[in-house]
Amino acid sequence: MSTPDRDRDRPLRVVIADDQALVRTGFAMILAADGIEVVAEAGDGAEAMHAVRRTRPDVVLMDIRMPTMDGLEATRRILAEHPDPPRILILTTFDLDRYVYAALSAGASGFLLKDVTADRLVAAVRMVRAGDALLAPSVTRRLVERFAGQHDGATLHRDLSTLTPRELDILRLIARGLSNQELAGHLHISETTVKTHVTRVFSKLGIRDRAQAIIVAYETGLITPGGQRT
């Protein structure tokens, strides 16, 4: 994934994948006006894959519903193919879409509604480039509770036995939506220590960010819909 050191070396580079030319043009104009370089546009998932191979962007804005190859399959392939993959932001018309859930399971870093404001679009691209997940925990929980076990994509059934009791506590609290600062206060430890624990949890489970952590917590039964834990 992109690192802060690499990010400082060059301008932020983005690929926009959407089957509607007007959407691509509008987003490209907004990003360019803020100094973000749109290195390629794609009309379907296959074109998006080729664009990523050719341009090595930091972020891909990926529409879900496209012809030839949809954004979900393109997301899976891009993240599996590249040892240092771009961050992928899913574009959708609806905020609770089973395809969005599947894309988050596959490793996407969040999603945006297509009617996003210009300021929000720019902030979102910069946020995920910095390594953050763009998804409110409450929205992630709604997605998980509605779609867990109902989609056809790969799930995140991870073995939690590798986690220590403290790391399990960290994962539970992440799934409840606590920030690192809130985790530190709740557990009475330093924020630096929290960051170390979070990094270890992500590494042991092979996940990229908090969005996936929440999905893991639900799909393993660590957290249950309507409850805090099993």
Side-chain angles (χ1 to χ4, degrees):
M1 67 183 68
S2 297
T3 64
D5 287 340
R6 191 184 80 175
D7 289 344
R8 283 193 293 266
D9 292 340
R10 57 178 172 79
L12 200 165
R13 296 158 53 84
V14 175
V15 166
I16 301 173
D18 194 292
D19 61 341
Q20 298 180 50
L22 285 176
V23 171
R24 298 197 306 269
T25 299
F27 280 6
M29 291 176 63
I30 290 169
L31 296 176
D34 203 74
I36 297 172
E37 184 180 1
V38 177
V39 294
E41 296 181 17
D44 59 49
E47 290 181 6
M49 289 184 61
H50 292 310
V52 169
R53 291 180 190 133
R54 187 176 71 253
T55 64
R56 299 188 65 235
D58 301 294
V59 177
V60 179
L61 294 176
M62 181 79 76
D63 187 21
I64 282 288
R65 299 176 183 181
M66 296 185 290
T68 308
M69 179 189 296
D70 65 26
L72 175 57
E73 182 62 23
T75 294
R76 290 194 189 113
R77 294 191 185 189
I78 288 169
L79 294 176
E81 178 178 309
H82 297 270
D84 185 22
R87 293 278 173 169
I88 296 181
L89 268 176
I90 299 301
L91 299 173
T92 182
T93 306
F94 306 102
D95 65 348
L96 286 177
D97 187 315
R98 64 187 178 91
Y99 298 109
V100 172
Y101 174 85
L104 294 172
S105 295
S109 294
F111 72 89
L112 287 172
L113 297 181
K114 286 191 178 182
D115 61 359
V116 64
T117 64
D119 289 346
R120 179 64 169 163
L121 174 64
V122 170
V125 170
R126 294 194 182 280
M127 186 182 299
V128 297
R129 186 229 204 164
D132 295 327
L134 184 75
L135 205 60
S138 60
V139 176
T140 312
R141 286 198 299 272
R142 283 192 295 153
L143 281 164
V144 172
E145 290 179 11
R146 181 171 297 189
F147 299 117
Q150 298 181 18
H151 67 285
D152 297 327
T155 61
L156 289 174
H157 290 298
R158 301 289 197 250
D159 182 3
L160 300 185
S161 66
T162 60
L163 301 184
T164 66
R166 175 47 62 89
E167 289 166 351
L168 283 171
D169 286 340
I170 292 285
L171 180 57
R172 287 189 186 98
L173 294 172
I174 289 174
R176 286 173 53 189
L178 273 67
S179 66
N180 283 354
Q181 184 177 11
E182 291 168 335
L183 284 168
H186 186 87
L187 297 172
H188 307 291
I189 57 179
S190 71
E191 197 167 341
T192 299
T193 301
V194 166
K195 290 178 181 178
T196 299
H197 283 308
V198 170
T199 298
R200 287 174 179 167
V201 169
F202 288 5
S203 176
K204 287 182 178 182
L205 296 178
I207 58 180
R208 290 164 59 95
D209 53 38
R210 275 173 149 75
Q212 283 195 304
I214 295 170
I215 291 173
V216 167
Y218 275 93
E219 290 194 337
T220 58
L222 184 69
I223 297 290
T224 57
Q228 297 299 343
R229 68 184 69 185
T230 56

